[in-house]
Amino acid sequence: MREDFSVPCKPVARLYAPQIGDQSITLRSKNGLLQISVLAPDLFRVRITAGKKFSQRPSWAVSKTDWPHIPARVKVARNMAKIETKQGRVVVSLADGALSVSDKSGNVLFTSIPHKTGFEKDFCQAAFSLEDDESLFGLGETTATFNKRGLIRKFWNIDVLGHSPAIHPSLRSLYVSIPFAISIRNGRAAGLFWDNPAMQLWDLGQLTQTDWQMRTASGEIDLYLFLGPQVSDVVERYTELTGRMPLPPRWALGYQQCRYSYETRARVEEVAHEFRKREIPCDVLYLDIHHMREYRVFTFGKTFPKPAEMIAKLARDGFKTVTIVDPGVKDDAAFGVLKRGIKAKAFVKSPKGGKDYLGKVWPGVSRFPDFLNARTRKWWGEEQSFLQKNGVAGFWNDMNEPANFALPTKTLPDDCIHESDFGRVNHAQSHNVYGMQMARASRDGALAHTPDVRPFVITRAGYAGVQRHAMIWTGDNSSVWDHLSDAIQMFLNLSVSGVAFCGGDVGGFMDNTTPELLIRWMQMAAFTPFFRNHSNIHTINQEPWAFGAKAEAICRRYIELRYQLLPYLYALFAEARRTGAPIMRPLFWHYQNDPAAVAAGDQFLLGADMLIAPIVKQGATARAVYLPEGDWFDYWSGSQFTGGQAVLAHAPLETMPIFVRAGAIIPMCAIQQYVGENETGVVNLHLWPGGHGNLNWYEDDGNTMSYENGGILERAITFKDGELVFGKSAGGFTSQVKTWRVILRNAERAGKVLVNGKKVAAKFDKQTRVLAFEIPNSPERINAKLL
Ligand code: GLC
């Protein structure tokens, strides 16, 4: 496929012979077929093929295909066909196939450009008009701007060592491809997903400012159009279509330490010891590629004698061990994993002669498991159980674009063969799903071996729907300030692309970090879903203590804050699993009618109630923070601000600006050195007065799969007009909370407190303006009045 839009396509052309189905309409043209169907009142699917019938091949991305029947009206007139639900409609012109998608009030959300929508020999293309005031978000993992309007993006998973925020043509791709975008215009949101795992090229108004042009190298035009109108409606529906993230083990929310590589057992144990000695909380330690015997997957090398003993010892100190797992299997005839893989016919085939394809990765000449095949995935899972038997608690799937050092294209040849679950396909047609299918093999394999333990899988590569199998970390960034600021927009856009659990290398991977950069990065990342420090081989040490006492103290403080916020964070993870709502949210998630909030890509919300404004410039000790409507408190000083304006926040090195929404209920717990070290049963409920507060309190056992079978506890906690109400607990899990310690911030006086009508003792501290009292927990409704 030529990577530009200069070659025109053969357009859809005049449509005729309508076939009206129950919830669909299919039309013919001399150039192919067009079909519009209704999946939900706010979700339409538009398919166009140059062939005589549509492909029967299932999708790798879509996990829901059994949509309930809903009322839809289909109408064909002389010049147009229309399909309508109570939420909106798609109208197609019979003259030229032009599509117009509008909401129930007639607001046009998408207008196709008919002469730019169609096929050519080696590509298919669709184009829509862009309006002047339209902003675009999502697209999964991208560098550069927050708003993707004006970007050219290639969806082709690639190992980009050292990605750059600059929009450089050679860096149009990253490791992850999610061809899904959210459009926001005049406070209304809509979404578009083109489901095709071959190469896609999108121009979001760069070459022609008024056109959103999309091209894929093969297959059909297969678009899902989401009507919104809220961003949350679009993402909820998109994640209903492509699946939501399962819950990770609770420890995966803790701080994690990595490096390429901790090369020996002694060094790993030393790092573990330092964490505990210095009382810097940490849950996870990583073993990068040096743990293996000459990079042979599923082995431990000489520098890791008695790995099971080491891992068990670390576990006693509260550390979980995660190992890197790369797809390339060393082509060594004596290597057991290879031998069994060959026997299982598990590898991707060369186009010629049906032999296994040989590429090159860390182990040298290697074969690539065909993860698109269920048998291969099962075999891989069985091999992976070697690590579980040694006590490994999670799998870090790297290099799974897949990376290949043997070719300038850095991946498998286009014409390699996959014997996929859905039949034989060449690599180019399915490239972008390889990494996601590896993650699937890893997750399913982990569950096959230990069915009641929550898997923890990290992946570098992915495609739409990857969130069902793994979380995403954003690969090889650099220890430069630009990459700290770029990380914010990357995570926000990933988060609204279905991948709520995401994060990046804290401190930067390539090159040496500096104390100031590490501090600022730690401060920001303490509020991102995934919180892992990682650094490249030959770089200086990057652990929280590597830069002296002051840097260490600041890092510790923010890591501790993260642990204190665990109940708040965990409730957000549960919400992400339930609805697809991100954990780390762009301001437009809650304030899409406010153009200043839509544009604010250098700050973010953690849930609905905390606003995080990272410092991303060297030497900066203050920054402007945009506060959306409502009242906000400075988390550190307690000062109150009215929203709808930017304020100047002071940020000496030890402070990153954090604001809390008036009305917020923020549950916090005691600092622990690792998750579960010392659960006191006391939850501090910080109430910030002024507005209305809602907290969806959530608990489960944190480790097993029982959350899928009712082993959860949910309860609504609300705070309004001085009244704190705990709804009745629901679910099969027994709360571990013994005491709610209510902490009213910015209290004006030592008021009276009535709990279920009875007066309870409350302490007022004039200096800190905190009013505190305790409520013993009970599953019944609790009402606390602050008079
Ligand atoms: C890749 C990964 C990086 C890892 C390195 C060695 O560059 O992105 O995180 O440390 O490989 O395994």
mmCIF file of all heavy atoms in Angstrom, residues 241-281:
data_model
loop_
_atom_site.group_PDB
_atom_site.id
_atom_site.type_symbol
_atom_site.label_atom_id
_atom_site.label_comp_id
_atom_site.label_asym_id
_atom_site.label_seq_id
_atom_site.Cartn_x
_atom_site.Cartn_y
_atom_site.Cartn_z
ATOM 1 N N LEU A 241 -18.372 -3.562 22.831
ATOM 2 C CA LEU A 241 -18.087 -4.234 21.555
ATOM 3 C C LEU A 241 -16.781 -5.022 21.603
ATOM 4 O O LEU A 241 -16.711 -6.163 21.156
ATOM 5 C CB LEU A 241 -18.004 -3.166 20.446
ATOM 6 C CG LEU A 241 -17.732 -3.645 19.031
ATOM 7 C CD1 LEU A 241 -18.983 -4.299 18.439
ATOM 8 C CD2 LEU A 241 -17.300 -2.467 18.128
ATOM 9 N N THR A 242 -15.733 -4.396 22.152
ATOM 10 C CA THR A 242 -14.392 -5.010 22.077
ATOM 11 C C THR A 242 -13.933 -5.596 23.417
ATOM 12 O O THR A 242 -12.841 -6.146 23.490
ATOM 13 C CB THR A 242 -13.335 -3.974 21.619
ATOM 14 O OG1 THR A 242 -13.300 -2.910 22.574
ATOM 15 C CG2 THR A 242 -13.660 -3.411 20.250
ATOM 16 N N GLY A 243 -14.755 -5.478 24.424
ATOM 17 C CA GLY A 243 -14.425 -6.093 25.713
ATOM 18 C C GLY A 243 -13.779 -5.121 26.681
ATOM 19 O O GLY A 243 -13.252 -4.076 26.286
ATOM 20 N N ARG A 244 -13.853 -5.480 27.953
ATOM 21 C CA ARG A 244 -13.283 -4.624 29.000
ATOM 22 C C ARG A 244 -12.179 -5.369 29.716
ATOM 23 O O ARG A 244 -12.067 -6.586 29.609
ATOM 24 C CB ARG A 244 -14.390 -4.222 29.979
ATOM 25 C CG ARG A 244 -15.501 -3.500 29.245
ATOM 26 C CD ARG A 244 -16.454 -2.748 30.134
ATOM 27 N NE ARG A 244 -17.352 -1.995 29.273
ATOM 28 C CZ ARG A 244 -18.673 -2.179 29.199
ATOM 29 N NH1 ARG A 244 -19.272 -3.045 29.996
ATOM 30 N NH2 ARG A 244 -19.395 -1.478 28.356
ATOM 31 N N MET A 245 -11.398 -4.609 30.445
ATOM 32 C CA MET A 245 -10.259 -5.252 31.121
ATOM 33 C C MET A 245 -10.747 -6.093 32.302
ATOM 34 O O MET A 245 -11.628 -5.668 33.038
ATOM 35 C CB MET A 245 -9.287 -4.199 31.621
ATOM 36 C CG MET A 245 -9.881 -3.293 32.673
ATOM 37 S SD MET A 245 -8.582 -2.393 33.529
ATOM 38 C CE MET A 245 -9.170 -2.451 35.189
ATOM 39 N N PRO A 246 -10.191 -7.264 32.472
ATOM 40 C CA PRO A 246 -10.473 -8.009 33.696
ATOM 41 C C PRO A 246 -9.731 -7.341 34.844
ATOM 42 O O PRO A 246 -8.835 -6.524 34.609
ATOM 43 C CB PRO A 246 -9.896 -9.387 33.405
ATOM 44 C CG PRO A 246 -8.894 -9.183 32.311
ATOM 45 C CD PRO A 246 -9.234 -7.919 31.587
ATOM 46 N N LEU A 247 -10.076 -7.662 36.070
ATOM 47 C CA LEU A 247 -9.360 -7.050 37.187
ATOM 48 C C LEU A 247 -7.981 -7.683 37.348
ATOM 49 O O LEU A 247 -7.845 -8.907 37.321
ATOM 50 C CB LEU A 247 -10.141 -7.233 38.486
ATOM 51 C CG LEU A 247 -11.212 -6.195 38.761
ATOM 52 C CD1 LEU A 247 -11.884 -6.487 40.092
ATOM 53 C CD2 LEU A 247 -10.636 -4.784 38.775
ATOM 54 N N PRO A 248 -6.971 -6.861 37.519
ATOM 55 C CA PRO A 248 -5.648 -7.407 37.830
ATOM 56 C C PRO A 248 -5.602 -7.769 39.310
ATOM 57 O O PRO A 248 -6.461 -7.322 40.082
ATOM 58 C CB PRO A 248 -4.715 -6.233 37.549
ATOM 59 C CG PRO A 248 -5.545 -5.022 37.830
ATOM 60 C CD PRO A 248 -6.964 -5.387 37.474
ATOM 61 N N PRO A 249 -4.597 -8.527 39.731
ATOM 62 C CA PRO A 249 -4.422 -8.692 41.173
ATOM 63 C C PRO A 249 -4.213 -7.314 41.800
ATOM 64 O O PRO A 249 -3.653 -6.416 41.163
ATOM 65 C CB PRO A 249 -3.163 -9.546 41.292
ATOM 66 C CG PRO A 249 -2.494 -9.490 39.962
ATOM 67 C CD PRO A 249 -3.536 -9.175 38.945
ATOM 68 N N ARG A 250 -4.647 -7.167 43.035
ATOM 69 C CA ARG A 250 -4.593 -5.842 43.671
ATOM 70 C C ARG A 250 -3.153 -5.336 43.788
ATOM 71 O O ARG A 250 -2.888 -4.137 43.720
ATOM 72 C CB ARG A 250 -5.254 -5.948 45.058
ATOM 73 C CG ARG A 250 -5.695 -4.634 45.623
ATOM 74 C CD ARG A 250 -6.744 -4.853 46.705
ATOM 75 N NE ARG A 250 -7.313 -3.606 47.162
ATOM 76 C CZ ARG A 250 -6.969 -3.006 48.284
ATOM 77 N NH1 ARG A 250 -6.086 -3.562 49.081
ATOM 78 N NH2 ARG A 250 -7.518 -1.866 48.623
ATOM 79 N N TRP A 251 -2.209 -6.267 43.944
ATOM 80 C CA TRP A 251 -0.814 -5.835 44.075
ATOM 81 C C TRP A 251 -0.303 -5.138 42.827
ATOM 82 O O TRP A 251 0.675 -4.386 42.892
ATOM 83 C CB TRP A 251 0.098 -6.987 44.490
ATOM 84 C CG TRP A 251 0.041 -8.240 43.648
ATOM 85 C CD1 TRP A 251 -0.579 -9.405 43.975
ATOM 86 C CD2 TRP A 251 0.672 -8.484 42.368
ATOM 87 N NE1 TRP A 251 -0.388 -10.349 42.982
ATOM 88 C CE2 TRP A 251 0.378 -9.806 41.997
ATOM 89 C CE3 TRP A 251 1.464 -7.695 41.512
ATOM 90 C CZ2 TRP A 251 0.828 -10.371 40.797
ATOM 91 C CZ3 TRP A 251 1.924 -8.266 40.321
ATOM 92 C CH2 TRP A 251 1.599 -9.587 39.973
ATOM 93 N N ALA A 252 -0.958 -5.372 41.687
ATOM 94 C CA ALA A 252 -0.486 -4.736 40.451
ATOM 95 C C ALA A 252 -0.712 -3.223 40.476
ATOM 96 O O ALA A 252 -0.224 -2.504 39.613
ATOM 97 C CB ALA A 252 -1.190 -5.351 39.246
ATOM 98 N N LEU A 253 -1.450 -2.748 41.468
ATOM 99 C CA LEU A 253 -1.634 -1.301 41.617
ATOM 100 C C LEU A 253 -0.474 -0.672 42.387
ATOM 101 O O LEU A 253 -0.354 0.545 42.479
ATOM 102 C CB LEU A 253 -2.938 -1.004 42.370
ATOM 103 C CG LEU A 253 -4.236 -1.031 41.561
ATOM 104 C CD1 LEU A 253 -4.523 -2.383 40.963
ATOM 105 C CD2 LEU A 253 -5.403 -0.587 42.426
ATOM 106 N N GLY A 254 0.358 -1.517 42.969
ATOM 107 C CA GLY A 254 1.472 -1.019 43.764
ATOM 108 C C GLY A 254 2.634 -0.518 42.899
ATOM 109 O O GLY A 254 2.602 -0.611 41.667
ATOM 110 N N TYR A 255 3.635 -0.007 43.562
ATOM 111 C CA TYR A 255 4.834 0.475 42.858
ATOM 112 C C TYR A 255 5.647 -0.722 42.352
ATOM 113 O O TYR A 255 5.720 -1.773 43.012
ATOM 114 C CB TYR A 255 5.681 1.333 43.810
ATOM 115 C CG TYR A 255 6.983 1.792 43.191
ATOM 116 C CD1 TYR A 255 6.991 2.790 42.224
ATOM 117 C CD2 TYR A 255 8.200 1.209 43.545
ATOM 118 C CE1 TYR A 255 8.175 3.204 41.629
ATOM 119 C CE2 TYR A 255 9.385 1.622 42.963
ATOM 120 C CZ TYR A 255 9.371 2.618 42.000
ATOM 121 O OH TYR A 255 10.544 3.009 41.412
ATOM 122 N N GLN A 256 6.257 -0.558 41.175
ATOM 123 C CA GLN A 256 6.981 -1.669 40.558
ATOM 124 C C GLN A 256 8.361 -1.178 40.105
ATOM 125 O O GLN A 256 8.503 -0.061 39.627
ATOM 126 C CB GLN A 256 6.186 -2.197 39.366
ATOM 127 C CG GLN A 256 4.683 -2.261 39.689
ATOM 128 C CD GLN A 256 3.848 -3.124 38.765
ATOM 129 O OE1 GLN A 256 4.383 -3.844 37.934
ATOM 130 N NE2 GLN A 256 2.552 -3.073 38.942
ATOM 131 N N GLN A 257 9.334 -2.036 40.261
ATOM 132 C CA GLN A 257 10.708 -1.645 39.943
ATOM 133 C C GLN A 257 11.294 -2.601 38.912
ATOM 134 O O GLN A 257 11.238 -3.813 39.066
ATOM 135 C CB GLN A 257 11.563 -1.673 41.215
ATOM 136 C CG GLN A 257 12.973 -1.185 41.008
ATOM 137 C CD GLN A 257 13.047 0.299 40.625
ATOM 138 O OE1 GLN A 257 12.434 1.149 41.259
ATOM 139 N NE2 GLN A 257 13.794 0.600 39.561
ATOM 140 N N CYS A 258 11.874 -2.003 37.880
ATOM 141 C CA CYS A 258 12.417 -2.800 36.779
ATOM 142 C C CYS A 258 13.730 -2.194 36.336
ATOM 143 O O CYS A 258 14.063 -1.066 36.702
ATOM 144 C CB CYS A 258 11.401 -2.741 35.632
ATOM 145 S SG CYS A 258 11.729 -3.826 34.252
ATOM 146 N N ARG A 259 14.499 -2.962 35.601
ATOM 147 C CA ARG A 259 15.673 -2.416 34.920
ATOM 148 C C ARG A 259 16.124 -3.457 33.922
ATOM 149 O O ARG A 259 15.930 -4.660 34.126
ATOM 150 C CB ARG A 259 16.755 -2.061 35.948
ATOM 151 C CG ARG A 259 18.157 -2.426 35.638
ATOM 152 C CD ARG A 259 19.169 -1.475 36.289
ATOM 153 N NE ARG A 259 20.054 -1.007 35.245
ATOM 154 C CZ ARG A 259 20.191 0.253 34.873
ATOM 155 N NH1 ARG A 259 19.520 1.198 35.463
ATOM 156 N NH2 ARG A 259 21.006 0.571 33.906
ATOM 157 N N TYR A 260 16.704 -2.992 32.840
ATOM 158 C CA TYR A 260 17.295 -3.876 31.834
ATOM 159 C C TYR A 260 18.780 -3.908 32.123
ATOM 160 O O TYR A 260 19.486 -2.995 31.760
ATOM 161 C CB TYR A 260 16.963 -3.329 30.453
ATOM 162 C CG TYR A 260 17.640 -3.952 29.266
ATOM 163 C CD1 TYR A 260 18.206 -5.232 29.307
ATOM 164 C CD2 TYR A 260 17.723 -3.244 28.064
ATOM 165 C CE1 TYR A 260 18.812 -5.770 28.187
ATOM 166 C CE2 TYR A 260 18.321 -3.784 26.945
ATOM 167 C CZ TYR A 260 18.868 -5.045 27.019
ATOM 168 O OH TYR A 260 19.468 -5.587 25.911
ATOM 169 N N SER A 261 19.207 -4.887 32.840
ATOM 170 C CA SER A 261 18.506 -5.882 33.635
ATOM 171 C C SER A 261 19.112 -5.890 35.041
ATOM 172 O O SER A 261 20.252 -5.477 35.214
ATOM 173 C CB SER A 261 18.744 -7.307 33.093
ATOM 174 O OG SER A 261 18.326 -7.489 31.774
ATOM 175 N N TYR A 262 18.351 -6.375 36.002
ATOM 176 C CA TYR A 262 18.996 -6.817 37.225
ATOM 177 C C TYR A 262 19.594 -8.172 36.853
ATOM 178 O O TYR A 262 18.866 -9.141 36.667
ATOM 179 C CB TYR A 262 17.976 -6.903 38.361
ATOM 180 C CG TYR A 262 17.443 -5.536 38.753
ATOM 181 C CD1 TYR A 262 16.092 -5.269 38.770
ATOM 182 C CD2 TYR A 262 18.333 -4.525 39.109
ATOM 183 C CE1 TYR A 262 15.619 -4.006 39.121
ATOM 184 C CE2 TYR A 262 17.864 -3.261 39.452
ATOM 185 C CZ TYR A 262 16.508 -3.005 39.457
ATOM 186 O OH TYR A 262 16.054 -1.755 39.796
ATOM 187 N N GLU A 263 20.902 -8.210 36.708
ATOM 188 C CA GLU A 263 21.501 -9.327 35.980
ATOM 189 C C GLU A 263 21.786 -10.562 36.826
ATOM 190 O O GLU A 263 22.084 -11.621 36.283
ATOM 191 C CB GLU A 263 22.789 -8.875 35.277
ATOM 192 C CG GLU A 263 22.487 -7.890 34.169
ATOM 193 C CD GLU A 263 23.664 -7.628 33.244
ATOM 194 O OE1 GLU A 263 24.630 -8.416 33.279
ATOM 195 O OE2 GLU A 263 23.607 -6.637 32.497
ATOM 196 N N THR A 264 21.764 -10.401 38.149
ATOM 197 C CA THR A 264 22.073 -11.563 38.981
ATOM 198 C C THR A 264 21.071 -11.667 40.121
ATOM 199 O O THR A 264 20.426 -10.687 40.501
ATOM 200 C CB THR A 264 23.477 -11.424 39.621
ATOM 201 O OG1 THR A 264 23.443 -10.275 40.482
ATOM 202 C CG2 THR A 264 24.574 -11.278 38.593
ATOM 203 N N ARG A 265 21.021 -12.850 40.682
ATOM 204 C CA ARG A 265 20.164 -13.075 41.843
ATOM 205 C C ARG A 265 20.572 -12.136 42.983
ATOM 206 O O ARG A 265 19.716 -11.529 43.631
ATOM 207 C CB ARG A 265 20.301 -14.547 42.269
ATOM 208 C CG ARG A 265 19.604 -14.820 43.569
ATOM 209 C CD ARG A 265 19.602 -16.285 43.940
ATOM 210 N NE ARG A 265 19.056 -16.390 45.292
ATOM 211 C CZ ARG A 265 18.620 -17.494 45.847
ATOM 212 N NH1 ARG A 265 18.677 -18.635 45.177
ATOM 213 N NH2 ARG A 265 18.149 -17.498 47.068
ATOM 214 N N ALA A 266 21.880 -11.989 43.161
ATOM 215 C CA ALA A 266 22.359 -11.151 44.262
ATOM 216 C C ALA A 266 21.880 -9.708 44.094
ATOM 217 O O ALA A 266 21.483 -9.048 45.054
ATOM 218 C CB ALA A 266 23.881 -11.200 44.325
ATOM 219 N N ARG A 267 21.917 -9.234 42.866
ATOM 220 C CA ARG A 267 21.510 -7.843 42.629
ATOM 221 C C ARG A 267 19.995 -7.660 42.893
ATOM 222 O O ARG A 267 19.578 -6.670 43.495
ATOM 223 C CB ARG A 267 21.868 -7.440 41.186
ATOM 224 C CG ARG A 267 21.462 -6.039 40.817
ATOM 225 C CD ARG A 267 22.261 -4.954 41.540
ATOM 226 N NE ARG A 267 21.789 -3.618 41.189
ATOM 227 C CZ ARG A 267 21.536 -2.639 42.049
ATOM 228 N NH1 ARG A 267 21.735 -2.818 43.334
ATOM 229 N NH2 ARG A 267 21.112 -1.468 41.637
ATOM 230 N N VAL A 268 19.218 -8.626 42.464
ATOM 231 C CA VAL A 268 17.769 -8.543 42.705
ATOM 232 C C VAL A 268 17.513 -8.513 44.219
ATOM 233 O O VAL A 268 16.728 -7.695 44.721
ATOM 234 C CB VAL A 268 17.025 -9.733 42.062
ATOM 235 C CG1 VAL A 268 15.545 -9.731 42.446
ATOM 236 C CG2 VAL A 268 17.168 -9.690 40.552
ATOM 237 N N GLU A 269 18.201 -9.381 44.921
ATOM 238 C CA GLU A 269 17.983 -9.448 46.370
ATOM 239 C C GLU A 269 18.448 -8.162 47.059
ATOM 240 O O GLU A 269 17.830 -7.701 48.018
ATOM 241 C CB GLU A 269 18.679 -10.684 46.943
ATOM 242 C CG GLU A 269 17.932 -11.949 46.495
ATOM 243 C CD GLU A 269 18.588 -13.259 46.911
ATOM 244 O OE1 GLU A 269 19.800 -13.256 47.234
ATOM 245 O OE2 GLU A 269 17.885 -14.279 46.891
ATOM 246 N N GLU A 270 19.492 -7.592 46.500
ATOM 247 C CA GLU A 270 19.990 -6.336 47.058
ATOM 248 C C GLU A 270 18.963 -5.206 46.855
ATOM 249 O O GLU A 270 18.679 -4.433 47.767
ATOM 250 C CB GLU A 270 21.307 -5.991 46.356
ATOM 251 C CG GLU A 270 22.014 -4.778 46.889
ATOM 252 C CD GLU A 270 23.222 -4.404 46.019
ATOM 253 O OE1 GLU A 270 23.397 -4.987 44.921
ATOM 254 O OE2 GLU A 270 23.971 -3.525 46.428
ATOM 255 N N VAL A 271 18.398 -5.153 45.663
ATOM 256 C CA VAL A 271 17.390 -4.121 45.372
ATOM 257 C C VAL A 271 16.197 -4.300 46.315
ATOM 258 O O VAL A 271 15.695 -3.336 46.909
ATOM 259 C CB VAL A 271 16.964 -4.192 43.885
ATOM 260 C CG1 VAL A 271 15.751 -3.303 43.616
ATOM 261 C CG2 VAL A 271 18.124 -3.780 42.978
ATOM 262 N N ALA A 272 15.764 -5.541 46.470
ATOM 263 C CA ALA A 272 14.626 -5.829 47.364
ATOM 264 C C ALA A 272 14.946 -5.352 48.783
ATOM 265 O O ALA A 272 14.133 -4.691 49.445
ATOM 266 C CB ALA A 272 14.327 -7.323 47.350
ATOM 267 N N HIS A 273 16.145 -5.684 49.206
ATOM 268 C CA HIS A 273 16.573 -5.320 50.549
ATOM 269 C C HIS A 273 16.565 -3.797 50.736
ATOM 270 O O HIS A 273 16.135 -3.272 51.769
ATOM 271 C CB HIS A 273 17.969 -5.907 50.786
ATOM 272 C CG HIS A 273 18.538 -5.560 52.115
ATOM 273 N ND1 HIS A 273 18.065 -6.123 53.277
ATOM 274 C CD2 HIS A 273 19.521 -4.688 52.465
ATOM 275 C CE1 HIS A 273 18.743 -5.612 54.288
ATOM 276 N NE2 HIS A 273 19.629 -4.739 53.829
ATOM 277 N N GLU A 274 17.054 -3.085 49.725
ATOM 278 C CA GLU A 274 17.094 -1.608 49.807
ATOM 279 C C GLU A 274 15.690 -1.035 49.991
ATOM 280 O O GLU A 274 15.486 -0.117 50.792
ATOM 281 C CB GLU A 274 17.717 -1.001 48.545
ATOM 282 C CG GLU A 274 19.216 -1.218 48.407
ATOM 283 C CD GLU A 274 20.030 -0.533 49.509
ATOM 284 O OE1 GLU A 274 19.698 0.597 49.898
ATOM 285 O OE2 GLU A 274 20.999 -1.156 49.982
ATOM 286 N N PHE A 275 14.739 -1.569 49.229
ATOM 287 C CA PHE A 275 13.364 -1.055 49.365
ATOM 288 C C PHE A 275 12.877 -1.183 50.804
ATOM 289 O O PHE A 275 12.338 -0.247 51.376
ATOM 290 C CB PHE A 275 12.406 -1.801 48.420
ATOM 291 C CG PHE A 275 12.347 -1.193 47.052
ATOM 292 C CD1 PHE A 275 12.975 -1.795 45.980
ATOM 293 C CD2 PHE A 275 11.665 -0.003 46.846
ATOM 294 C CE1 PHE A 275 12.935 -1.225 44.716
ATOM 295 C CE2 PHE A 275 11.613 0.583 45.588
ATOM 296 C CZ PHE A 275 12.255 -0.029 44.517
ATOM 297 N N ARG A 276 13.064 -2.374 51.359
ATOM 298 C CA ARG A 276 12.524 -2.588 52.698
ATOM 299 C C ARG A 276 13.320 -1.803 53.739
ATOM 300 O O ARG A 276 12.744 -1.222 54.654
ATOM 301 C CB ARG A 276 12.520 -4.090 53.032
ATOM 302 C CG ARG A 276 11.563 -4.898 52.145
ATOM 303 C CD ARG A 276 10.094 -4.481 52.324
ATOM 304 N NE ARG A 276 9.209 -5.232 51.435
ATOM 305 C CZ ARG A 276 8.569 -4.720 50.384
ATOM 306 N NH1 ARG A 276 8.685 -3.433 50.067
ATOM 307 N NH2 ARG A 276 7.795 -5.479 49.629
ATOM 308 N N LYS A 277 14.634 -1.756 53.568
ATOM 309 C CA LYS A 277 15.469 -1.025 54.516
ATOM 310 C C LYS A 277 15.113 0.461 54.518
ATOM 311 O O LYS A 277 15.015 1.091 55.567
ATOM 312 C CB LYS A 277 16.945 -1.212 54.122
ATOM 313 C CG LYS A 277 17.923 -0.624 55.124
ATOM 314 C CD LYS A 277 19.369 -0.782 54.682
ATOM 315 C CE LYS A 277 19.751 0.389 53.809
ATOM 316 N NZ LYS A 277 21.057 0.287 53.168
ATOM 317 N N ARG A 278 14.911 0.989 53.331
ATOM 318 C CA ARG A 278 14.635 2.427 53.218
ATOM 319 C C ARG A 278 13.151 2.750 53.391
ATOM 320 O O ARG A 278 12.746 3.915 53.256
ATOM 321 C CB ARG A 278 15.101 2.926 51.841
ATOM 322 C CG ARG A 278 16.582 2.842 51.648
ATOM 323 C CD ARG A 278 16.946 3.091 50.190
ATOM 324 N NE ARG A 278 18.358 2.874 49.964
ATOM 325 C CZ ARG A 278 19.296 3.808 50.116
ATOM 326 N NH1 ARG A 278 18.948 5.017 50.484
ATOM 327 N NH2 ARG A 278 20.556 3.523 49.897
ATOM 328 N N GLU A 279 12.353 1.717 53.576
ATOM 329 C CA GLU A 279 10.908 1.881 53.723
ATOM 330 C C GLU A 279 10.300 2.668 52.571
ATOM 331 O O GLU A 279 9.585 3.658 52.754
ATOM 332 C CB GLU A 279 10.570 2.496 55.089
ATOM 333 C CG GLU A 279 10.997 1.572 56.208
ATOM 334 C CD GLU A 279 10.474 2.013 57.562
ATOM 335 O OE1 GLU A 279 9.448 2.689 57.632
ATOM 336 O OE2 GLU A 279 11.131 1.653 58.563
ATOM 337 N N ILE A 280 10.651 2.218 51.383
ATOM 338 C CA ILE A 280 9.996 2.740 50.179
ATOM 339 C C ILE A 280 9.078 1.622 49.689
ATOM 340 O O ILE A 280 9.545 0.544 49.328
ATOM 341 C CB ILE A 280 11.036 3.089 49.085
ATOM 342 C CG1 ILE A 280 11.996 4.159 49.609
ATOM 343 C CG2 ILE A 280 10.332 3.547 47.814
ATOM 344 C CD1 ILE A 280 13.172 4.441 48.693
ATOM 345 N N PRO A 281 7.772 1.851 49.713
ATOM 346 C CA PRO A 281 6.861 0.764 49.343
ATOM 347 C C PRO A 281 7.141 0.249 47.932
ATOM 348 O O PRO A 281 7.460 1.031 47.021
ATOM 349 C CB PRO A 281 5.479 1.419 49.413
ATOM 350 C CG PRO A 281 5.648 2.577 50.340
ATOM 351 C CD PRO A 281 7.041 3.066 50.123
#
